[in-house]
Amino acid sequence: MPQSKKPGPQATKAPRESVRILITGGRIQRRIQEIAKQIRKDFPDEPLHLVSVLKGGVFFLTDLARSISGEVSFDFIAVSSYGQNTHSSGQVRLTRDLDSSVEGKTVIVVEDILDTGMTLQYLLRLFEQRKPKHLRVAVLLDKPERRIADVRADYVGFSIPNEFVVGYGLDYAERYRNLRYVGILTLGSDTKKDAAKK
Ligand code: PRP
């Protein structure tokens, strides 16, 4: 799973935290336009069904959906993990299923970040069983250094280093999701140990 987001004992002292911009909102939007064009080029005549994973993928999905020409629909799914154990055990649990069937559809899984890959591995196995016509993956951010599961995305916005990032859907203890940019979060010394590494 994702970056560990449990606040440490000093996490309520927000002034100790700072966010340094890694990818500006403008760069994100320009890249999304490129990805949208590429997806439509790959599937010129197909209705596309975007499926995003709550909550972090929401902004990427909404911006991507509005940038792809032609017929687009979307749906949401939610999963939960079991903290650090998830990395080794691969335990991902479905907490909210899709509203509609993906059978026969051209499905694009839309994720904010591909980190260990455990979430995506779970989702791909789940969706493959449901017989979509095509199954592809779009991620805004890819942290290849962190990969555990053998999965890859078909469309990648930005490949980033192994830093704790927030913004554009990504949170730390539910904060920072609403930033238009992606930034590197720096915490005070007491909280850094808890959050920076999983
Ligand atoms: C994030 C992200 C992906 C997952 C990627 O979700 O949205 O779903 O982690 O991590 P992985 O590649 O290591 O599996 P998170 O569990 O943080 O939930 P959120 O989207 O609600 O913040």
Side-chain angles (χ1 to χ4, degrees), residues 72-185:
V72 173
S73 56
F74 56 80
D75 202 349
F76 296 95
I77 197 166
V79 297
S80 74
S81 57
Y82 298 97
Q84 303 218 353
N85 287 338
T86 306
H87 303 300
S88 51
S89 66
Q91 289 178 319
V92 179
R93 189 167 56 91
L94 187 66
T95 58
R96 181 205 186 278
D97 207 342
L98 300 170
D99 286 338
S100 61
S101 167
V102 295
E103 188 173 343
K105 294 180 182 172
T106 297
V107 174
I108 316 277
V109 178
V110 179
E111 271 276 43
D112 53 343
I113 188 164
L114 176 52
D115 193 17
T116 66
M118 302 302 283
T119 305
L120 186 59
Q121 183 178 60
Y122 172 83
L123 292 172
L124 290 176
R125 283 176 181 163
L126 184 73
F127 292 151
E128 272 159 10
Q129 289 167 8
R130 297 179 178 187
K131 312 240 178 303
K133 182 175 179 187
H134 302 284
L135 184 58
R136 299 288 185 274
V137 176
V139 300
L140 183 72
L141 305 174
D142 185 9
K143 266 190 189 177
E145 282 175 60
R146 294 264 308 160
R147 199 80 80 251
I148 294 172
D150 183 20
V151 290
R152 54 174 286 280
D154 302 285
Y155 308 97
V156 175
F158 303 91
S159 190
I160 62 168
N162 185 17
E163 300 278 1
F164 191 96
V165 285
V166 295
Y168 201 76
L170 291 151
D171 72 309
Y172 172 59
E174 294 300 323
R175 291 183 285 123
Y176 301 111
R177 288 192 198 275
N178 58 324
L179 298 178
R180 291 183 188 277
Y181 56 86
V182 169
I184 296 173
L185 179 68

Side-chain angles (χ1 to χ4, degrees), residues 13-21 164-166 172 175-176 179 181 183-188 191-192:
K13 295 182 180 176
R16 301 188 64 165
E17 299 173 13
S18 64
V19 180
R20 179 164 53 86
I21 295 180
F164 191 96
V165 285
V166 295
Y172 172 59
R175 291 183 285 123
Y176 301 111
L179 298 178
Y181 56 86
I184 296 173
L185 179 68
T186 303
L187 300 170
T191 53
K192 200 167 186 173

Side-chain angles (χ1 to χ4, degrees), residues 10-95:
Q10 301 299 314
T12 51
K13 295 182 180 176
R16 301 188 64 165
E17 299 173 13
S18 64
V19 180
R20 179 164 53 86
I21 295 180
L22 180 66
I23 308 168
T24 64
R27 279 184 72 201
I28 292 171
Q29 293 304 323
R30 286 193 291 279
R31 187 73 186 111
I32 289 173
Q33 298 302 316
E34 292 171 356
I35 293 171
K37 278 192 187 135
Q38 185 64 52
I39 291 173
R40 183 45 83 198
K41 196 176 160 197
D42 293 347
F43 299 100
D45 304 316
E46 304 259 350
L48 297 170
H49 191 61
L50 309 188
V51 171
S52 186
V53 186
L54 296 170
K55 304 174 194 167
V58 167
F59 296 113
F60 185 32
L61 176 125
T62 55
D63 284 340
L64 189 62
R66 288 177 293 180
S67 303
I68 298 174
S69 58
E71 194 175 329
V72 173
S73 56
F74 56 80
D75 202 349
F76 296 95
I77 197 166
V79 297
S80 74
S81 57
Y82 298 97
Q84 303 218 353
N85 287 338
T86 306
H87 303 300
S88 51
S89 66
Q91 289 178 319
V92 179
R93 189 167 56 91
L94 187 66
T95 58

